[in-house]
Amino acid sequence: MPTPPTTEETPRKRDKTHYLYLAVIVAVALGILVGFLFPGFAKGLKPLGDGFVNLIKMMITPIIFCTIVIGVGSVAKAAKVGKVGLMALFYFIIMSTFALAIGLVVGNILHPGTGLHLSPADVKSVQKSAGGAEGPVDFLLGIIPKTLVSAFTEGEVLQTLLVALLIGFALQKLGPKGAPILRGIEHIQRLVFRVLAMIMWAAPIGAFGAIAAVVGATGWAALKSLAVIMIGFYATCLVFVFVVLGIVLWLGARVFIWNLLRYLGREFLLILSTSSSESALPRLIAKMEHVGVSKSVVGITVPTGYSFNLDGTAIYLTMATLFIAAAQDEPLSIGSQIGLLAFMIIASKGAAGVSGSGIATLASGLQSHRPELVNGVGFILGIDRFMSEARALTNFAGNAVATVLIGNWTKEFDREKAERVFSGQEPFDEATMLDEHSHAAGTDDMDDTVKEPARS
């Protein structure tokens, strides 16, 4: 009996957003056309793209806060949260190192930049970006917000993560007295995702402005001279996602990479049009919960991954560094490559969701270890926007795979539900972006928190 109503509701919910993402595709095509035909006018459309991304960023902090508090506050044992976090960090380190190695291998095979003699014009702006780099101590201290509220007002993901974890653990300690607070945060989460669903209808406008501006600013000139590194970078990212991540996902969770990527197709389209994986962060949280990963795993893995699991950025940093060194006739030895790029991976925290942050990270690393190479960063600025898309897509795919893997390893992944979702039997609710039954489950888990001491 439940089957017929589900079948009737699915087309109505799908049709509205189906037209929305068709509009995004059309907007991207129009943006490319306007960029080539009217480059001067197209450059002035950049605020449209920036405005849409800012609207999405506005929702990230409340979504992360609600997701983590509900996930952690509903878990019976605090040690379980620590286990998920340690497992996630260990996995992120392994995969980032692997991405580094792949980028180094491909860069040493292609030798991008060999034979070029660079005379970049944007050196001053690049050096200014590099000069503002912070060290490891500043980074660690920066995780602690100045006040409890400033974590929300400043939009810092790691600060929000820290505050949400503290409040989640506090709700665990409150026991039954914390249940009303938890239910109140669940209602706030419903409201926040509803607002996000409304904002998504502005996606075609944002996509049109973002694509038109970058095509109008660069055209084909920059692409011709730098085609080797661009093609090599995109090919490396594709191999990493479909081969490396595909094998890891199948061995670790028995899930086909294509099924997961197809399920996240609309998010990839959103990232491609905005060149920022941050624009799809809220939807990734909602979809990972819908596909069967528990709230606690999603709430910890996804926000942490956006700061530490930067597979695409790692590949970019290695290949771009080899390109700049070779183009200035100062190739790096293997030892220098490993030392410099290991530092860059540490310095690249928090860069996953910010469009264009990769270029600042690259400049910062070179300024710290090989300042004579910083001048060459100006030459790569012309295509950084296009490479930023590949970085964002790879980072996003890596975080989706990591969430499923860690959910499976901690036995917090519902494989049967995932199969139903992948086959289309349980479509994602684009209107609420939430599974209503999950709230009931969260309340039950909170009850388990109260009952747990009695059982032990």
Side-chain angles (χ1 to χ4, degrees), residues 108-131:
N108 281 285
I109 292 175
L110 294 180
H111 297 291
T114 302
L116 291 176
H117 302 282
L118 305 186
S119 56
D122 297 320
V123 175
K124 291 184 179 179
S125 62
V126 172
Q127 289 178 334
K128 185 178 179 180
S129 299

Side-chain angles (χ1 to χ4, degrees), residues 243-329:
V243 178
V244 177
L245 292 181
I247 292 174
V248 170
L249 182 61
W250 173 250
L251 294 177
R254 287 297 187 267
V255 173
F256 286 110
I257 186 70
W258 176 250
N259 289 337
L260 181 62
L261 298 184
R262 183 180 59 182
Y263 170 63
L264 298 171
R266 291 179 173 179
E267 287 66 44
F268 283 114
L269 176 60
L270 183 62
I271 293 171
L272 187 64
S273 60
T274 61
S275 189
S276 172
S277 59
E278 196 169 40
S279 61
L281 171 58
R283 291 179 59 88
L284 178 62
I285 290 175
K287 280 202 163 183
M288 288 295 96
E289 290 182 7
H290 175 69
V291 85
V293 184
S294 71
K295 283 180 174 291
S296 57
V297 173
V298 173
I300 295 171
T301 305
V302 174
T304 307
Y306 260 66
S307 291
F308 294 101
N309 191 31
L310 311 176
D311 300 330
T313 304
I315 297 172
Y316 166 81
L317 291 174
T318 56
M319 296 189 67
T321 301
L322 294 179
F323 168 82
I324 292 171
Q328 292 187 281
D329 299 321

Side-chain angles (χ1 to χ4, degrees), residues 38-83:
F38 311 102
F41 171 74
K43 292 178 184 178
L45 298 176
K46 188 176 183 296
L48 293 178
D50 294 341
F52 173 72
V53 173
N54 288 339
L55 282 173
I56 298 292
K57 289 180 178 180
M58 177 181 70
M59 306 305 299
I60 288 177
T61 298
I63 287 175
I64 289 178
F65 175 78
C66 292
T67 302
I68 295 176
V69 170
I70 294 172
V72 175
S74 302
V75 174
K77 297 180 180 179
K80 181 178 176 183
V81 177
K83 178 183 177 182

Side-chain angles (χ1 to χ4, degrees), residues 396-415:
F396 183 82
N399 284 310
V401 169
T403 306
V404 174
L405 284 173
I406 294 170
N408 185 63
W409 292 339
T410 56
K411 303 187 185 305
E412 296 288 330
F413 175 54
D414 189 341
R415 188 183 308 280

Side-chain angles (χ1 to χ4, degrees), residues 7 34 46 72 113 128 152 162 321 391:
T7 307
V34 171
K46 188 176 183 296
V72 175
K128 185 178 179 180
F152 304 97
L162 175 63
T321 301
R391 287 200 305 268

Side-chain angles (χ1 to χ4, degrees), residues 20 188 245 299 337:
L20 167 63
I188 295 175
L245 292 181
Q337 291 178 26

